[in-house]
Amino acid sequence: FVAAPLCEELLQDHPDLDALVVFRKWDMWRPWKLAALVARLRRPRPDLAVVMTTVSFSTTSALLAWASGARLRVGASSLPFGWHLSRAVYNLELPLGPEGLHEVEHNLAPLRALGIAAPFELPRLAPRPEALDRARAFVEREVPDAPATDGGPLVVVHAGAGKLPNGWPAERFAVVLETLQRLRGARVVLVEGPRDEAPVSALQERLVGVARWRAPLGETIGLLALADLVLCNDTGIAHVAAAVGVPTLVLFGPTDAQRWKPPGDHVRAVQSRTGRLGDLEIEEVLAAALAATTHSFRAGLRHEPA
């Protein structure tokens, strides 16, 4: 599996992978690094290289497939995106999935067209034991009022988003979380990525009795695995939390939730009726959050991390 650095900690030691190759774009400008990468991709020489495509065509991924020297290189056509590169790089252009499919099915369609059996399964991620240990110690030390095994539900909140239109206002998050604290005895932990300082700080200023977690993504998976609910915007952490297998509530604005909601009965989505996340009402999110933190719902879905 060839991945960017952001995904390295997600995929490290994943049981379905025999090898993980991390591609760092800045290595393209260091000839010795680039030569080492190409040598790694070709050792041993692949029989098949498959490039997946979602909402765009990745020139870098296509060129990596070509550089691997694979005997058969396949990927989606670049023509819908205004490029002819796929015809020069791939031996076989694969069709995109038809409109209206969930994104997981959309990604499986090219594999099935290639004749590869690809049944629909829920994505799964498991935290490393040391990540779980650090998260448990953090919750016991930093989360107010209760150790990790007692008290109200542990609610992990990601108020940031990779795209500005995908961020729900901090003051609305605060109302929902204050109500969960009052009615459910919720213990709240705010998590953040490298670009989430502003929305997380704005939320923290509006709340009392909350903890703030700053750690690499691989260690954050350990915290997510302890959560009774992950509340987040439509962003990458929603898919990570869902793959860990914990109850997850995702807020959608301009993105189609039917296509992009992480799959699974443990995931709930609240979609803005106008397509603008700023129009998503507090009452809608609060009702979904209260339902997701009921004892019966959590007991029905809860499982120990793999």
Side-chain angles (χ1 to χ4, degrees):
F1 200 100
V2 183
L6 183 62
C7 298
E8 182 176 6
E9 292 189 52
L10 293 179
L11 298 172
Q12 217 166 34
D13 303 321
H14 196 289
D16 290 334
L17 303 184
D18 296 306
L20 175 64
V21 178
V22 180
F23 170 69
R24 296 171 173 83
K25 282 194 173 183
W26 54 85
D27 287 347
M28 294 178 65
W29 312 112
R30 300 174 180 178
W32 62 96
K33 293 276 191 181
L34 186 59
L37 172 67
V38 172
R40 176 66 186 86
L41 290 174
R42 296 187 174 200
R43 188 177 61 248
R45 183 183 178 186
D47 295 300
L48 170 67
V50 179
V51 177
M52 309 306 296
T53 298
T54 54
V55 295
S56 63
F57 179 86
S58 172
T59 301
T60 301
S61 297
L63 292 176
L64 285 172
W66 173 79
S68 74
R71 293 174 174 84
L72 179 63
R73 300 180 300 275
V74 299
S77 172
S78 61
L79 292 180
F81 305 100
W83 295 78
H84 290 79
L85 181 63
S86 59
R87 293 190 171 177
V89 170
Y90 298 145
N91 305 106
L92 178 64
E93 290 181 322
L94 296 177
L96 296 173
E99 292 295 325
L101 287 181
H102 189 276
E103 189 61 18
V104 174
E105 291 282 4
H106 180 85
N107 275 281
L108 294 177
L111 299 180
R112 292 166 179 162
L114 193 61
I116 296 174
F120 184 96
E121 294 183 8
L122 296 181
R124 292 297 304 270
L125 289 172
R128 297 192 300 273
E130 57 269 25
L132 270 176
D133 291 341
R134 179 183 173 186
R136 287 194 181 102
F138 172 86
V139 171
E140 292 174 357
R141 182 181 68 251
E142 301 291 341
V143 178
D145 299 328
T149 54
D150 298 321
L154 181 65
V155 179
V156 174
V157 183
H158 188 277
K163 301 175 182 176
L164 188 60
N166 289 9
W168 204 43
E171 59 270 20
R172 300 192 183 190
F173 267 112
V175 174
V176 171
L177 294 170
E178 286 171 344
T179 306
L180 290 177
Q181 288 175 319
R182 187 175 71 255
L183 298 182
R184 294 281 191 262
R187 297 166 295 144
V188 178
V189 180
L190 308 181
V191 299
E192 61 192 280
R195 295 180 293 176
D196 298 326
E197 170 74 24
V200 176
S201 294
L203 179 55
Q204 187 178 31
E205 290 172 1
R206 291 169 166 82
L207 294 170
V208 295
V210 300
R212 188 164 177 174
W213 168 274
R214 297 180 178 95
L217 187 55
E219 294 189 18
T220 299
I221 294 176
L223 178 66
L224 297 175
L226 300 179
D228 293 293
L229 175 67
V230 176
L231 171 61
C232 57
N233 291 311
D234 165 30
T235 191
I237 202 72
H239 299 275
V240 175
V244 173
V246 297
T248 305
L249 176 59
V250 191
L251 312 183
F252 282 89
T255 307
D256 181 6
Q258 287 193 336
R259 176 174 175 180
W260 287 98
K261 180 188 84 70
D265 292 338
H266 61 299
V267 182
R268 297 186 177 200
V270 183
Q271 174 101 55
S272 168
R273 294 180 176 85
T274 66
R276 294 187 297 272
L277 198 51
D279 293 337
L280 186 59
E281 296 294 339
I282 291 173
E283 292 76 13
E284 295 180 75
V285 178
L286 180 57
L290 288 171
T293 52
T294 59
H295 177 74
S296 59
F297 180 78
R298 290 186 286 130
L301 294 176
R302 192 70 181 164
H303 62 271
E304 287 301 311

